[in-house]
Amino acid sequence: MNQTVFPQNPTASKARSSPADAELVHSLDLVIGGMTCASCVGRVERALRKVPGVQDASVNLATESARVSYGAGQAPAAGSWEAVLSRAVRDAGYEARPAEQAAEAGPVSAWAGFAPVAVGLALSFPLVLPMVTGWLGLPFMLPAWLQFLLATPVQFVLGARFYAAGWRAVRAGAGNMDVLVAVGTSAGWGLSVWLWLTGSAGDMPHLYFEASAVVITLVLLGKWLEARAKRQATAAIRALHALRPATARLLGDEGEVEVPIAEILVGDVLVVRPGERIPLDGVVRQGETQVDESMLTGESLPVAKSPGSALSGGSINGDGRIVLDVTAVGTETVLARIIRLVEDAQAAKAPIQRLVDRVSEVFVPVVLLVALATGVGWWWTGAAMEIAVMHAVAVLVIACPCALGLATPAALMAGMGVAARHGILIQDAQALELARRVDTVLFDKTGTLTVGRPRLMHVSGAGLAGGTDDVAGLLVLAAALQGGSEHPLARAVVAHAQAQGLPSIQPEQVRAVAGRGTEGVVEGRTLLLGSLRWMDELGLPAGPWQAQAQAWQSQGCTVSMMAERVDGEVKGLLAMAFGDEPKPGAAQALAALKARGLRIVMVSGDNRGAAEAMARRLGLDPAAGEVEGEVLPADKAARVAAWRQAGHVVAMVGDGINDAPALAAADVGMAMSNGTDVAMQAAGVTLMRGDLALVGAALDISHRTVAKIRQNLFWAFAYNVAGIPLAMLGYLSPVVAGAAMALSSVSVMANALLLRRWKP
């Protein structure tokens, strides 16, 4: 893999106060404690968005995090952004800490640890035992005072978190899961105490201590299982963090010295022994080896490295000792940027989540009204007060919207995590959701479908300039004109001239003509080098070179011309034919996409003949409209827009700077990581290696992830839609309702984690 330099996300920087930055948008990550359901998410988001200067806020229940966007030129009224935003979250009834502090302090989740669950199970078991023995025909009942002693610690010690969080929510003028649990279990416990104290001496009334204790215990158990599932869902991020070694071997005047990674600077020289992880990005100075880059690219085969080869931190050195020059440290390394991209993607919200957000805004108040109506209705129809209260409690418990808040983010975390493990970085949740609907895939040719290292195959100058200049001399002029260009064809000209041992000269007044070629002055001669289309636009007279150019094009070559401007006229000097090779496996990858029912189109700036010749080698049919040639870079975005206007959902796959507008214009942009930073910044998906099979894999994991989201939302809604009426009609006891509520959250997380088994 080539050294990949990901674009720096401008929103990740700290705010500056200069007016020049006023229009920039920066972001801040917070860890939010105390959230339990989708209602909590909506309330925290509203609190953050009310802070002056905040442009947007996105809260993720699964990661217990928030990302706040604000204007770089704006400053809070008092204090820092961290302090002001944390205050807003606390006023809403929750706790917030900057992500950096949270990482050092450990998780803030109140549900961490099995000890509360174990205590709850131990205290609840004796309360449930009479129910079990009654089913077996061995009825007995614990004394009321003993039931009270067992249930009260569960209610007010283990359940204290529900009261605290619920009170904060009520004080903030909202409701959440904690309110429902606290109200429901308190009603059950209070009813039991009332029946005990008001009962006749010697009578043993039916008490409901077991209902309140078991519900709290089951909720705690569900939250513990949910927390375990969350840790599994974030395994991809933790695995990436684990790739960074703590120390490196610095080569200095005193030999090899082991120093912390934080002390390494760009330009330092490091030694990596066989079997060690490469600590930072760099370039091989000495030695040859094989490097395992599978954790970064998903490619299982080791990659050969020699002097001049790029290295990525986190990869594993093979059997050779190497010396490398450090090229990037800290947040600028490939690994750090990959981690940032995955975190950004997992923190984002898919468009489908908006439905959940709208529902959660009114869910808890509606449930409280439904529970009240249930209790009043049963009492009104003649049921005993305790029966009416128990039915109302069951409604409160079964309706807790935990699963609703987890349905979407849990699937996103699992899907994006497994995709990253296989070399697919999904940077945009919206792109992930749209990818399942893609029906047309447009491919750039050079560097995407082809190797991207064209060679100068044929050169001809005879008959172009009266034979006054020899071909070697013309190649010197062409190489001088192309020396400063990064275009693949320009590099091919320079490489050919160097291989021939031709001298190097300096050009003057060189300028690039977008989509056409290069113009400049070499040794006093005004030269133009570019496509045949440009030469036609310049009015280059027809000549004997045309037949030769057509012959080269029929062979799949790309033909360029160097011409000279003399007294306002243009005359041809040199015709050059460039050949490229399809990427290994490209034809098979395209065939697989077509087998999925997708329309495949190659979009190339080459003349139609050369483009069609390469298309045939890739298994594409020009007669079926699967090739678009002579498309200028500036027109690629227009071609994407045209396909979209025709009613198609379009994915664009490219790698170069000239592909960036098209990648941004597509419904789903996919950039090859061996391309440019600009292309990757414009795309919603980055493919970490040049294997075109990853295009189909990206579409597949997107389809599967969205399917999991829809399944999760179905089950989350189904639990409530089915459970609430059953509880209202008296078919669900509070204990069964508590078990169902815990099961709903766990089942949603478990279903999402099935994505971890996916393989491309």
Side-chain angles (χ1 to χ4, degrees):
M1 181 185 78
N2 295 333
Q3 183 75 10
T4 304
V5 182
F6 289 88
Q8 183 66 43
N9 185 352
T11 64
S13 306
K14 296 294 183 181
R16 304 186 191 99
S17 58
S18 63
D21 292 330
E23 297 184 357
L24 294 177
V25 177
H26 289 181
S27 72
L28 178 68
D29 291 338
L30 299 172
V31 173
I32 310 296
M35 296 191 300
T36 53
C37 63
S39 300
C40 302
V41 172
R43 187 158 53 256
V44 174
E45 286 183 345
R46 289 192 294 273
L48 291 171
R49 288 168 180 165
K50 289 179 181 179
V51 176
V54 171
Q55 299 187 7
D56 193 20
S58 178
V59 178
N60 190 314
L61 178 61
T63 58
E64 297 180 326
S65 63
R67 174 156 296 172
V68 185
S69 302
Y70 56 90
Q74 298 173 331
S80 64
W81 277 108
E82 290 91 341
V84 173
L85 295 173
S86 297
R87 175 74 62 86
V89 173
R90 188 174 71 250
D91 292 343
Y94 303 90
E95 299 295 330
R97 287 184 288 174
E100 296 82 3
Q101 297 181 13
E104 298 173 359
V108 300
S109 174
W111 313 107
F114 187 72
V117 180
V119 174
L121 290 172
L123 294 175
S124 300
F125 179 76
L127 295 170
V128 179
L129 188 60
M131 298 173 57
V132 177
T133 58
W135 295 336
L136 299 176
L138 302 172
F140 84 96
M141 187 66 66
L142 295 177
W145 64 267
L146 182 56
Q147 295 185 49
F148 173 81
L149 291 179
L150 291 170
T152 300
V154 178
Q155 183 70 45
F156 297 105
V157 178
L158 300 182
R161 62 192 69 191
F162 300 112
Y163 289 100
W167 172 246
R168 289 196 297 267
V170 171
R171 197 171 56 182
N176 61 4
M177 183 200 97
D178 302 294
V179 174
L180 298 181
V181 173
V183 171
T185 58
S186 296
W189 183 90
L191 176 62
S192 299
V193 172
W194 182 77
L195 292 174
W196 175 33
L197 297 178
T198 58
S200 303
D203 290 341
M204 186 61 187
H206 183 78
L207 306 179
Y208 300 93
F209 285 119
E210 82 284 351
S212 62
V214 172
V215 166
I216 288 178
T217 301
L218 289 175
V219 173
L220 293 177
L221 177 62
K223 289 297 176 182
W224 178 74
L225 293 173
E226 182 185 304
R228 287 191 62 190
K230 288 178 181 177
R231 289 194 295 274
Q232 294 179 21
T234 57
I237 290 290
R238 295 198 308 275
L240 290 172
H241 280 289
L243 295 180
R244 297 183 288 197
T247 62
R249 302 182 189 277
L250 179 65
L251 183 62
D253 297 334
E254 301 178 356
E256 299 179 17
V257 180
E258 191 166 327
V259 299
I261 286 290
E263 297 182 10
I264 302 298
L265 304 175
V266 174
D268 285 344
V269 181
L270 304 181
V271 174
V272 184
R273 297 175 181 176
E276 294 182 342
R277 285 199 183 275
I278 295 169
L280 295 163
D281 295 357
V283 176
V284 178
R285 172 183 283 196
Q286 298 177 10
E288 295 184 354
T289 188
Q290 301 279 328
V291 175
D292 180 1
E293 298 178 336
S294 58
M295 286 299 296
L296 298 175
T297 67
E299 176 57 62
S300 58
L301 297 176
V303 181
K305 301 291 183 180
S306 57
S309 298
L311 299 168
S312 295
S315 53
I316 301 175
N317 185 26
D319 54 1
R321 178 184 182 274
I322 55 174
V323 179
L324 64 94
D325 295 314
V326 177
T327 58
V329 298
T331 60
E332 299 301 316
T333 64
V334 171
L335 180 60
R337 300 215 177 165
I338 290 175
I339 292 173
R340 182 69 181 182
L341 286 176
V342 177
E343 290 176 338
D344 288 350
Q346 292 186 341
K349 282 191 176 183
I352 198 172
Q353 181 69 19
R354 296 169 188 154
L355 171 63
V356 177
D357 294 342
R358 289 196 296 269
V359 172
S360 64
E361 290 179 359
V362 299
F363 192 84
V364 173
V366 170
V367 169
L368 290 171
L369 292 175
V370 171
L372 179 61
T374 299
V376 172
W378 278 89
W379 178 74
W380 186 266
T381 57
M385 177 60 69
E386 58 264 30
I387 299 299
V389 171
M390 284 297 101
H391 292 332
V393 170
V395 171
L396 290 173
V397 174
I398 193 68
C400 290
C402 313
L404 278 178
L406 293 169
T408 299
L412 286 177
M413 289 167 58
M416 292 176 172
V418 73
R421 220 167 40 244
H422 291 287
I424 304 168
L425 298 185
I426 301 173
Q427 307 169 47
D428 184 358
Q430 184 172 356
L432 181 141
E433 187 170 330
L434 284 171
R436 70 179 185 89
R437 295 165 47 201
V438 166
D439 59 24
T440 302
V441 185
L442 307 184
F443 286 90
D444 169 56
K445 181 177 79 72
T446 304
T448 302
L449 292 175
T450 67
V451 176
R453 294 190 294 272
R455 296 178 295 113
L456 184 55
M457 307 289 293
H458 308 286
V459 182
S460 177
L464 299 180
T468 56
D469 289 311
D470 65 288
V471 172
L474 292 171
L475 275 174
V476 172
L477 301 178
L481 192 62
Q482 301 283 65
S485 175
E486 293 298 318
H487 194 281
L489 299 185
R491 292 198 297 265
V493 173
V494 174
H496 186 82
Q498 291 174 345
Q500 297 293 321
L502 300 177
S504 170
I505 56 180
Q506 292 297 318
E508 301 175 2
Q509 304 176 25
V510 178
R511 70 180 185 92
V513 183
R516 288 164 174 78
T518 307
E519 181 178 1
V521 177
V522 182
E523 294 186 334
R525 305 172 67 174
T526 302
L527 302 178
L528 308 99
L529 197 159
S531 65
L532 297 183
R533 171 187 284 191
W534 189 27
M535 296 299 145
D536 290 338
E537 294 174 355
L538 295 172
L540 177 68
W545 54 269
Q546 288 181 313
Q548 184 63 69
Q550 291 174 358
W552 290 337
Q553 290 172 352
S554 66
Q555 300 170 13
C557 294
T558 300
V559 180
S560 295
M561 177 72 69
M562 185 174 69
E564 182 179 8
R565 195 191 306 272
V566 180
D567 298 330
E569 297 183 357
V570 177
K571 63 177 182 178
L573 297 179
L574 188 69
M576 293 169 288
F578 302 88
D580 201 355
E581 292 295 321
K583 280 186 176 179
Q588 293 83 347
L590 296 181
L593 291 174
K594 293 172 75 173
R596 294 167 61 100
L598 299 173
R599 180 191 298 271
I600 307 299
V601 181
M602 185 184 79
V603 182
S604 173
D606 291 345
N607 66 83
R608 180 164 293 277
E612 291 181 355
M614 178 58 69
R616 293 188 184 94
R617 296 181 65 183
L618 292 164
L620 300 179
D621 184 4
E626 295 179 345
V627 181
E628 294 188 8
E630 301 179 357
V631 179
L632 295 176
D635 296 334
K636 286 185 179 180
R639 297 305 306 147
V640 171
W643 280 101
R644 293 184 64 190
Q645 290 172 3
H648 298 281
V649 180
V650 179
M652 175 70 195
V653 186
D655 69 323
I657 293 176
N658 57 6
D659 297 325
L663 292 170
D667 295 291
V668 180
M670 298 187 185
M672 315 296 285
S673 70
N674 58 339
T676 65
D677 296 351
V678 177
M680 286 182 285
Q681 192 171 22
V685 179
T686 297
L687 309 178
M688 289 301 298
R689 58 183 193 274
D691 186 0
L692 287 169
L694 290 183
V695 175
L699 297 177
D700 183 61
I701 188 60
S702 299
H703 176 81
R704 293 175 184 268
T705 301
V706 173
K708 288 297 181 186
I709 292 174
R710 293 180 178 273
Q711 292 169 16
N712 285 350
L713 288 176
F714 169 80
W715 285 113
F717 279 110
Y719 272 105
N720 289 318
V721 171
I724 291 176
L726 290 174
M728 293 176 66
L729 295 173
Y731 293 109
L732 290 181
S733 69
V735 172
V736 175
M741 187 203 68
L743 180 62
S744 67
S745 297
V746 175
S747 62
V748 162
M749 292 297 302
N751 187 47
L753 289 176
L754 292 176
L755 286 170
R756 299 180 65 201
R757 301 186 299 180
W758 176 84
K759 294 182 179 179

